[in-house]
Amino acid sequence: MRRRVGVVVVACALLAGCGGEPVKVPAAASSSQASVAEELAVVAGGGLAVPSAKQLPAGAAIGGPDYAVRLTEVGTADHLEPAVVTQFGKMQSATGVPRDASGPIAAGQGKEFVFARLAAVPGLETQPSAVVKARLRVGDKARPVEGIVSPNSVLVALVPAGAPVTLVVSDADKDQSIDLRTGAVGPGAVAAYLKPRPYGETSYKLVGQISGEPQQTYVEIEVSAALEPYDHRQQGTWAPAGHTWLRVWVEAKLTSIGVLDGAIDMRQSLQLTANGKAVTVEASQADVVGETVPTNGYTIRDEVRMEVAEGSVQTLTFRFEPKGALTRAGKPATLKLTGSAQQKITLK
């Protein structure tokens, strides 16, 4: 049972306005006397051209639990072309450009427009997420970026000419940064989110005997596992430096003539070894849940999380034997599996 963690990056959707005083355009630059927000920092559509584009290194990428983005090229200009002005006019609340603006808009003395193209990280599929926030650090000052961080888009900002410009993306209470001019990634970047997370799964069927039942029943079991630096459950928790979370999902389906109830103790029921070393399973109770179809069907489903050293888990061996406080028709019961042999999952 594969859980996707889903993942984001800078998209075309735009949020509130950028604020700030407008930059007045010299008459020679534009007959419309149009202006942009003084602290323009906005994500626009990927169809925008990057002027005087310079390719950035392949490693110019950052990612988190809800996004992943790669900067492919950057460029600067002393003005916005008419086509850009027209698009920005449609995004007035975020850009400060009047809806009826036409002609070029000059950056103004001592300033320039910076364009940075954002693309998908190879091998990753991500969906835009509003929980991801971005800001631009220009010199020693910061300003919000209007828009959602996502691939196939262009970040445009008005900044002092030559000033350091850094994109800072916040996700799950962690900031990661990248220099827009050089593509250099800042300290604290989480490389694990720039590649598919290690994952594996298996499913099998065993014969089970519920005490008090006249006949045996089939038990269908599905187990999956993944390695990830961030645990999404509840408030979410980052693994300590040098470690990651081993997340294991277990699901068992069975039928019963009598009414089943109670819970399975996952620490007692699931035995794990990773690369030959035993892993202590997180304490957890998995309730027995009755299904609508079939009416006599029941499911036991849970996720457990264990902290492991990075690189310490490639193969996971496990045995699942349900143990806990079960009842059948209101009386204590047990579920015993026949031939509960060890199973193996390779995470890749």
Side-chain angles (χ1 to χ4, degrees), residues 329-340:
K331 297 181 180 180
T334 59
L335 170 60
K336 295 186 178 298
L337 302 181
T338 301
S340 181

Side-chain angles (χ1 to χ4, degrees), residues 192 229 240-244 308-314:
H243 291 73
T244 190
V308 296
E310 287 183 350
S312 67
V313 180
Q314 290 84 38

Side-chain angles (χ1 to χ4, degrees), residues 239-264:
H243 291 73
T244 190
W245 296 119
L246 169 61
R247 303 175 66 189
V248 179
W249 295 271
V250 178
E251 181 178 274
K253 290 181 176 292
L254 68 155
T255 59
S256 171
I257 297 175
V259 177
L260 286 185
D261 203 354
I264 294 297

Side-chain angles (χ1 to χ4, degrees), residues 11-188:
C12 304
L14 297 169
L15 307 177
C18 297
E21 295 297 323
V23 177
K24 298 299 182 181
V25 181
S30 172
S31 59
S32 67
Q33 293 293 302
S35 60
V36 298
E38 178 69 32
E39 294 192 340
L40 176 73
V42 66
V43 178
L48 289 186
V50 174
S52 304
K54 178 185 75 172
Q55 297 299 308
L56 293 175
I62 53 177
D66 303 293
Y67 79 100
V69 64
R70 178 171 62 105
L71 272 64
T72 58
E73 58 183 8
V74 64
T76 61
D78 61 3
H79 68 281
L80 297 178
E81 294 288 349
V84 179
V85 172
T86 299
Q87 180 170 336
F88 278 15
K90 299 175 182 178
M91 302 152 53
Q92 185 178 18
S93 63
T95 64
V97 175
R99 295 187 184 279
D100 59 352
S102 61
I105 294 179
Q109 186 174 4
K111 298 185 178 183
E112 63 184 352
F113 291 103
V114 173
F115 293 71
R117 186 173 301 284
L118 300 122
V121 174
L124 292 182
E125 294 183 10
T126 57
Q127 297 296 325
S129 171
V131 304
V132 179
K133 304 298 180 184
R135 63 185 186 275
L136 211 60
R137 193 166 62 233
V138 182
D140 58 355
K141 297 182 179 179
R143 65 180 76 164
V145 173
E146 301 294 339
I148 300 178
V149 177
S150 149
N152 305 318
S153 58
V154 176
L155 174 63
V156 184
L158 176 64
V159 302
V165 184
T166 302
L167 174 64
V168 182
V169 181
S170 180
D171 183 24
D173 297 322
K174 181 181 284 292
D175 286 351
Q176 298 187 64
S177 64
I178 185 167
D179 189 312
L180 287 192
R181 296 191 186 274
T182 66
V185 175

